[in-house]
Amino acid sequence: MRLEAITWERLGDLLAERLLDLKPDDGSPWPRIAFDGAPAARPGELAHRVSEALRIRGRSSLVVGAQDFMRPASLRFEYGHEDVDAYYDGWFDTGALWREVFGPLDPGGNGRVLPDLWDPATDRATRSAYVQLPPGGLLLFHGPFLLRHWFPFDLSVHVLLSPGALSRRTPEPEHWTLPAFRRYETEVAPGTVADVLVRADDPRHPAWNG
């Protein structure tokens, strides 16, 4: 694998250019893009950067984060506040994501996507309005562990941190989550299955292969 040094700004532009001609294999009019990575890798920032680059190029997009589809605290913390297996397998409401985000963008869907469902800070429903994504509009979905759920992504970007960088950039109170990311690397190897790999150990100058 050959990695190329790049700036975040240029990376956003290159990804936007690549997405302009992306056509879903299943015939859906809405390309669905994964920005996969640990919270410390900030895949959401890259998704928003690409969204802005697409807007400048005249294309609609909607950024949705997995953290806005967490399950209620009573379910997330059923086995304690620092249960690694629960974090890996049960914190995110994949059923709601299929129903409210990916299902509407299937071929024949109506394009009406719920941008968020649950606020983990208040532990209450967000009650946001649905967003109508026009044909050709892109879903830019970001979060951790995305490549293990069989979501129908048409292109996937994995933002990778080395174990050392992941530990350094993860806040101390969240270090208990690190074994979940080691498990993800072992079981899924996202850096090898993603269409685009971004190595983000240096937050100023990432390297990518796409």
Side-chain angles (χ1 to χ4, degrees), residues 2 5 13 30 66 74 91 93 107 109 119 135 140 152 159 167 173 189 191 196 206:
R2 180 179 178 272
D13 288 338
W30 301 284
S74 60
W91 271 36
D93 193 340
D119 184 342
L140 308 180
V159 186
S167 180
V196 176

Side-chain angles (χ1 to χ4, degrees), residues 94-159:
T94 55
L97 285 167
W98 279 104
R99 182 178 66 252
E100 305 289 3
V101 178
F102 293 103
L105 303 182
D106 280 341
N110 60 17
R112 292 179 71 248
V113 174
L114 190 65
D116 49 63
L117 177 67
W118 198 261
D119 184 342
T122 62
D123 202 35
R124 294 180 181 275
T126 56
R127 303 189 184 281
S128 295
Y130 284 86
V131 175
Q132 183 68 51
L133 197 60
L138 296 96
L139 172 71
L140 308 180
F141 188 75
H142 63 89
F145 315 132
L146 299 186
L147 304 183
R148 62 181 294 263
H149 294 299
W150 301 102
F151 291 137
F153 294 120
D154 303 296
L155 187 137
S156 57
V157 180
H158 177 63
V159 186

Side-chain angles (χ1 to χ4, degrees), residues 10-165:
R10 180 63 178 147
L11 177 59
D13 288 338
L14 286 173
L15 287 173
E17 290 290 343
R18 178 168 178 173
L19 296 179
L20 289 176
D21 296 325
L22 183 64
K23 298 291 190 295
D25 290 336
D26 63 4
S28 169
W30 301 284
R32 298 142 297 192
I33 318 304
F35 291 84
D36 178 60
R42 300 179 178 177
E45 291 187 10
L46 181 56
H48 280 283
R49 191 181 296 276
V50 172
S51 179
E52 176 61 17
L54 287 167
R55 185 192 66 79
I56 293 171
R57 291 161 173 78
R59 286 291 294 273
S60 298
S61 64
L62 177 64
V63 178
V64 177
Q67 77 280 353
D68 295 318
F69 282 83
M70 284 188 180
R71 303 171 77 196
S74 60
L75 299 176
R76 297 199 312 274
F77 303 141
E78 182 178 2
Y79 301 104
H81 283 67
E82 298 184 358
D83 186 281
V84 175
D85 291 335
Y87 177 61
Y88 187 69
D89 292 319
W91 271 36
F92 301 98
D93 193 340
T94 55
L97 285 167
W98 279 104
R99 182 178 66 252
E100 305 289 3
V101 178
F102 293 103
L105 303 182
D106 280 341
N110 60 17
R112 292 179 71 248
V113 174
L114 190 65
D116 49 63
L117 177 67
W118 198 261
D119 184 342
T122 62
D123 202 35
R124 294 180 181 275
T126 56
R127 303 189 184 281
S128 295
Y130 284 86
V131 175
Q132 183 68 51
L133 197 60
L138 296 96
L139 172 71
L140 308 180
F141 188 75
H142 63 89
F145 315 132
L146 299 186
L147 304 183
R148 62 181 294 263
H149 294 299
W150 301 102
F151 291 137
F153 294 120
D154 303 296
L155 187 137
S156 57
V157 180
H158 177 63
V159 186
L160 174 67
L161 292 175
S162 67

